[in-house]
């Protein structure tokens, strides 16, 4: 009788055990998948924090290139998200940090409200963006170094103005790409641009002028960046074609187009 009951119960016991094993295997698979996703996300966050080339995800190679001009400033001040297509804007803390810097750079009053800034900024930017940081050079300043520093700062502050919702996306892209074409015309490589940038920054702060980077940058460090496969100044092709149709001429005054 006991043997008969045993053989009758055996199939059900096997089904039960197999079901438990199947459930356990499924649980282990889910835990493994969770671990892989978590690890991948952590790597992405670390890359964004470092400012690796993978952080540049606007979906437009030319726009990524234009934003990379501001790389040292951007990933010191903002870190991940500066060149992220999913970034919806600056949060309250970041906005409070960026607002006075951007207004000072653009020469706008700090007591203006956001609506007034958004009305005034487009025309002001069209008229002045190419002159920012270049109209008041000090005696002894190297104009070439000043140009590299101005290109980096233009990319940074135009992007910040967009993150603060003061600029429409089209104008923001137009000015960024015009600034990028200016950099390409003035310099022959990322190393040449970066070296000039480091010198331009050094001569800028030597006169007591403010800078958001907050740390020294030398030519040796620039050479390390350019040699690092993860760094955008290594991974991005300096000769990338920046389509002029992405930056229509109306964003730039006629007298500045030839500079």
């Amino acid at each position: 009788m006991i043997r008969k009951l045993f053989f009758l119960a055996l199939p059900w016991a096997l089904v039960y055990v197999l079901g438990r094993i199947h459930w356990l295997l499924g649980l282990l698979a889910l835990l493994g998948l969770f671990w892989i996703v978590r690890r991948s996300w952590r790597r992405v966050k670390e890359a964004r924090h470092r400012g690796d080339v993978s952080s540049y995800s606007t979906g437009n190679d030319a726009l990524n290139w234009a934003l990379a001009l501001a790389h040292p400033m951007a990933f010191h001040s903002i870190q991940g998200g500066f060149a992220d297509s999913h970034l919806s804007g600056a949060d309250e803390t970041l906005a409070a940090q960026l607002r006075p810097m951007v207004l000072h750079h653009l020469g706008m009053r700090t007591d203006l409200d956001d609506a007034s800034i958004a009305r005034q900024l487009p025309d002001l930017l069209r008229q002045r963006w190419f002159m920012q940081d270049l109209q008041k050079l000090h005696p002894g300043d190297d104009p070439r170094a000043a140009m590299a520093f101005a290109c980096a700062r233009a990319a940074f502050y135009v992007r910040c103005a967009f993150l603060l919702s003061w600029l429409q996306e089209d104008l923001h892209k137009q000015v960024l790409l015009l600034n990028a074409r200016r950099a390409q015309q003035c310099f022959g490589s990322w190393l040449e641009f970066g070296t000039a940038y480091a010198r331009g920054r050094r001569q800028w702060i030597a006169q007591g002028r403010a800078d958001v980077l907050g740390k020294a940058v030398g030519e040796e460090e620039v050479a390390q960046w350019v040699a690092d496969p993860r760094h955008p100044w290594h991974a991005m092709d300096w000769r990338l074609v920046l389509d002029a149709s992405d930056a229509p001429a109306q964003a730039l005054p006629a007298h500045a187009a030839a500079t």
Side-chain angles (χ1 to χ4, degrees):
M1 183 65 180
I2 295 175
R3 181 180 294 181
K4 185 176 181 180
L5 291 173
F6 173 78
F7 283 110
L8 287 173
L10 182 60
W12 295 102
L14 290 174
V15 169
Y16 176 80
V17 171
L18 290 174
R20 289 291 182 175
I21 293 174
H22 179 74
W23 178 86
L24 181 60
L25 290 175
L27 178 61
L28 291 174
L30 286 175
L31 289 174
L33 180 61
F34 173 77
W35 181 82
I36 292 172
V37 170
R38 182 181 179 184
R39 187 178 180 185
S40 298
W41 177 241
R42 184 180 297 172
R43 287 178 176 176
V44 170
K45 288 180 68 177
E46 289 173 352
R48 290 182 65 183
H49 183 80
R50 290 193 306 265
D52 290 358
V53 67
S54 59
S55 302
Y56 288 78
S57 58
T58 65
N60 183 307
D61 289 343
L63 184 58
N64 287 339
W65 196 103
L67 292 171
L69 291 171
H71 186 86
M73 302 168 64
F75 284 89
H76 173 77
S77 301
I78 301 177
Q79 297 179 357
F82 180 76
D84 191 337
S85 62
H86 301 296
L87 192 66
S88 59
D91 61 26
E92 185 175 348
T93 301
L94 181 59
Q97 174 189 341
L98 295 178
R99 196 178 198 279
M101 295 192 302
V102 178
L103 291 175
H104 176 74
H105 174 77
L106 296 170
M108 301 184 73
R109 296 194 344 249
T110 57
D111 60 346
L112 291 174
D113 58 33
D114 287 347
S116 299
I117 296 170
R119 284 195 303 269
Q120 297 178 28
L121 184 55
D123 286 340
L124 182 149
L125 198 61
R126 291 187 182 98
Q127 296 166 12
R128 297 186 192 173
W129 76 265
F130 54 92
M131 298 187 297
Q132 294 297 124
D133 299 332
L134 296 173
Q135 71 272 45
K136 293 182 180 180
L137 297 183
H138 287 69
D141 279 351
D142 177 1
R144 186 172 176 78
M147 175 60 80
F149 189 64
C151 288
R153 281 167 60 89
F156 178 75
Y157 285 113
V158 169
R159 181 64 166 178
C160 287
F162 172 70
L163 297 181
L164 291 166
S165 302
W166 295 343
L167 286 178
Q168 294 296 318
E169 185 174 7
D170 287 347
L171 179 58
H172 143 263
K173 288 182 178 179
Q174 289 168 9
V175 177
L176 283 174
L177 290 173
L178 286 168
N179 181 59
R181 291 167 61 201
R182 175 177 69 167
Q184 276 188 334
Q185 291 166 3
C186 292
F187 303 96
S189 67
W190 283 111
L191 180 60
E192 188 178 329
F193 166 77
T195 302
Y197 165 80
R199 293 172 181 167
R201 182 178 179 275
R202 188 161 59 243
Q203 72 184 11
W204 178 269
I205 61 177
Q207 299 293 337
R209 292 170 287 191
D211 174 58
V212 301
L213 185 54
K215 67 173 185 175
V217 175
E219 287 86 340
E220 299 82 5
E221 187 171 9
V222 170
Q224 292 174 3
W225 293 343
V226 175
D228 183 353
R230 299 176 303 180
H231 199 283
W233 290 6
H234 174 98
M236 294 184 184
D237 182 4
W238 179 264
R239 296 175 299 278
L240 177 72
V241 176
L242 303 173
D243 189 355
S245 65
D246 289 333
Q250 64 264 27
L252 181 69
H255 68 273
T259 60

